[in-house]
Amino acid sequence: MLPLRSKRKAPNMKLSWLVIWAGTLFLNPVAADCNITSQTVTCEESGKNLSNIPPNLFQNITKLNLKNNKITLKESDKETLQSFINLTELYLNENMVTVLHNYSFCNLTKLVILDISNNHILIVHTAAFAGLSQLSVLNLSYNKITQLDSAVFTYLKSLAVLNLQSNFLKSFHIKSFQLIKIVLAGNPWTCSCDLLDLQIWLTASNVTMENENSTTCTFLNTQEISSIKMAPIQSDDCKIGKASLENTVASTSAIKLRSSSLSTALTPNNITGNNGTHAELPLPGKSWTFLAGVLGFVLSTTLLIFTATKCPTWYRYLISYSHSRLKENDSEMLEQEFSADMSSSPTELSTSNEEPIVIFEKIHAFVPAEEGFIEDKYTDSYVTEET
């Protein structure tokens, strides 16, 4: 009986594994197109009309081909790419990418080949390739790039092959970086001073320019076509033109600064125009702050001087209304002094017929009160007797 049970159990195990495998294919149909070997995991997803990078691929994928789809490389695609940390080759050619944003491939530190050709790329941001320290081949051909900053390639320390064929580039201010091969054909290069840096770099470096004979530029004045590497661009003329341009910019800046200073000095507020509207003046700068500080210092100093000058007068004015308690000796001395002053007054007064003479027969003296205060006889006093 035991051998029969084992024979029945074996088909059941195979059936269960078959169900699991079928379920995996059903739930993860994209992974079915991936070829897994001992060293690489290659997923072929070209021509499937995809608008997003599939998020349900194997995490240890090393080569991903997404050619001929409708991928725009939006934010969700960037997040999906960050999970493929072992990716070494990425093909996004023939898609719908228009802008390469900053840090689009920041987590792909092992990426060696990146192909974004045959898209609609117009703008490449400065940090678009940040993090691709191992990238060796970059293909940006057959796009619509009109301007490309050389700082874009500063993050690509291992870059060896750069393909910029068939874009809309007219000039390229390139910085010194090492390349083995570069492709520049198919661009409307202009034979001008803006191309001088590229020409010097192509001549001085050991880089190989593919299709060199067909890589040409055009002189704007004569419409003459010349090889981009051999075009007669005079460096001295470029230096003179650059110096004159710098002088022009400096003089223009000085005129603008002088006019803005003049308008600021006239009034800090808005000036009314002919049509009744207010034309805004430039914002006040540090000169107005300094002027306000000086005015505040002058006003505060003047106020302090005025207060110090008037303080004694105010003090005497206030002290005249205050009464102080006198001692008994002080009251007697005050009475004696008052009597002496009255005795020294003239006894005879010169009078005229027109003015009446008023003579006080009795001069009241100040009599000290019981409590030591001087009593003024000219003011009425009311004494309340205690019952």
Side-chain angles (χ1 to χ4, degrees):
M1 296 299 293
L2 291 174
L4 292 175
R5 289 181 180 178
S6 61
K7 290 180 181 180
R8 291 177 181 176
K9 193 173 182 179
N12 291 334
M13 292 294 292
K14 292 181 179 180
L15 181 61
S16 62
W17 281 109
L18 183 61
V19 171
I20 294 172
W21 181 74
T24 304
L25 294 180
F26 178 76
L27 295 175
N28 193 5
V30 179
D33 294 332
C34 294
N35 183 17
I36 303 174
T37 63
S38 59
Q39 296 180 351
T40 61
V41 179
T42 305
C43 289
E44 183 71 32
E45 298 301 322
S46 60
K48 291 189 175 182
N49 205 27
L50 297 175
S51 58
N52 299 311
I53 296 177
N56 51 353
L57 297 172
F58 290 111
Q59 297 298 314
N60 60 344
I61 185 174
T62 58
K63 182 178 179 181
L64 178 59
N65 190 352
L66 295 170
K67 177 183 177 181
N68 191 19
N69 284 289
K70 295 182 179 180
I71 297 173
T72 59
L73 207 59
K74 49 184 178 290
E75 193 66 29
S76 59
D77 297 329
K78 291 165 60 177
E79 295 177 358
T80 303
L81 284 175
Q82 290 179 3
S83 61
F84 305 141
I85 58 176
N86 295 320
L87 198 63
T88 58
E89 298 182 24
L90 177 60
Y91 299 91
L92 290 170
N93 46 321
E94 299 182 23
N95 277 277
M96 305 295 293
V97 182
T98 57
V99 179
L100 290 179
H101 297 281
N102 290 330
Y103 309 104
S104 296
F105 316 96
C106 61
N107 211 29
L108 306 180
T109 56
K110 297 181 180 180
L111 194 65
V112 177
I113 299 175
L114 178 59
D115 189 350
I116 327 177
S117 61
N118 289 279
N119 278 269
H120 305 279
I121 300 175
L122 296 169
I123 300 173
V124 180
H125 289 175
T126 305
F129 305 117
L132 301 180
S133 57
Q134 300 297 323
L135 190 68
S136 178
V137 179
L138 176 60
N139 191 350
L140 292 171
S141 62
Y142 294 96
N143 280 286
K144 299 179 180 179
I145 303 173
T146 58
Q147 187 175 3
L148 192 60
D149 189 356
S150 59
V152 171
F153 307 104
T154 56
Y155 299 93
L156 306 177
K157 304 298 183 181
S158 303
L159 188 63
V161 179
L162 176 61
N163 193 341
L164 297 174
Q165 182 177 357
S166 297
N167 279 277
F168 297 140
L169 293 171
K170 294 183 178 181
S171 61
F172 187 28
H173 295 280
I174 196 168
K175 293 182 180 179
S176 298
F177 61 92
Q178 298 296 326
L179 288 177
I180 297 176
K181 184 173 71 172
I182 190 170
V183 186
L184 300 173
N187 287 279
W189 301 106
T190 301
C191 300
S192 64
C193 294
D194 294 333
L195 201 64
L196 183 61
D197 293 340
L198 178 60
Q199 188 182 70
I200 294 174
W201 178 77
L202 290 173
T203 305
S205 64
N206 295 324
V207 64
T208 301
M209 186 169 57
E210 191 174 298
N211 301 323
E212 182 177 345
N213 295 330
S214 59
T215 307
T216 59
C217 63
T218 305
F219 288 93
L220 295 179
N221 297 331
T222 61
Q223 297 300 316
E224 181 182 353
I225 298 175
S226 176
S227 172
I228 192 175
K229 196 172 182 180
M230 304 301 295
I233 302 174
Q234 300 298 328
S235 59
D236 295 336
D237 296 339
C238 294
K239 291 179 181 179
I240 295 173
K242 185 177 181 181
S244 62
L245 179 61
E246 291 177 353
N247 294 332
T248 304
V249 171
S251 61
T252 305
S253 302
I255 293 173
K256 289 182 179 179
L257 180 61
R258 195 177 297 111
S259 61
S260 62
S261 302
L262 180 60
S263 60
T264 305
L266 290 175
T267 174
N269 301 323
N270 295 337
I271 300 176
T272 306
N274 296 329
N275 55 356
T277 59
H278 294 277
E280 296 183 357
L281 289 175
L283 295 175
K286 294 183 179 180
S287 59
W288 282 104
T289 306
F290 176 77
L291 181 60
V294 172
L295 290 177
F297 176 78
V298 171
L299 291 176
S300 60
T301 305
T302 305
L303 182 60
L304 290 174
I305 294 173
F306 180 78
T307 304
T309 304
K310 293 297 182 181
C311 185
T313 305
W314 293 343
Y315 177 76
R316 288 194 299 270
Y317 180 75
L318 294 174
I319 206 67
S320 63
Y321 286 94
S322 62
H323 297 279
S324 60
R325 184 181 180 85
L326 298 177
K327 298 180 180 180
E328 293 181 359
N329 296 334
D330 294 340
S331 62
E332 293 177 358
M333 292 175 62
L334 182 62
E335 183 177 1
Q336 292 175 3
E337 291 177 358
F338 186 76
S339 300
D341 293 338
M342 293 305 299
S343 61
S344 63
S345 61
T347 57
E348 294 181 0
L349 300 173
S350 61
T351 60
S352 63
N353 297 329
E354 298 178 356
E355 296 180 356
I357 299 174
V358 180
I359 300 175
F360 291 96
E361 294 179 355
K362 184 178 180 180
I363 299 175
H364 296 276
F366 291 94
V367 181
E370 295 178 358
E371 297 181 356
F373 293 99
I374 298 174
E375 183 178 358
D376 191 357
K377 296 299 182 178
Y378 289 100
T379 59
D380 296 333
S381 61
Y382 298 93
V383 180
T384 305
E385 297 179 359
E386 295 181 358
T387 57

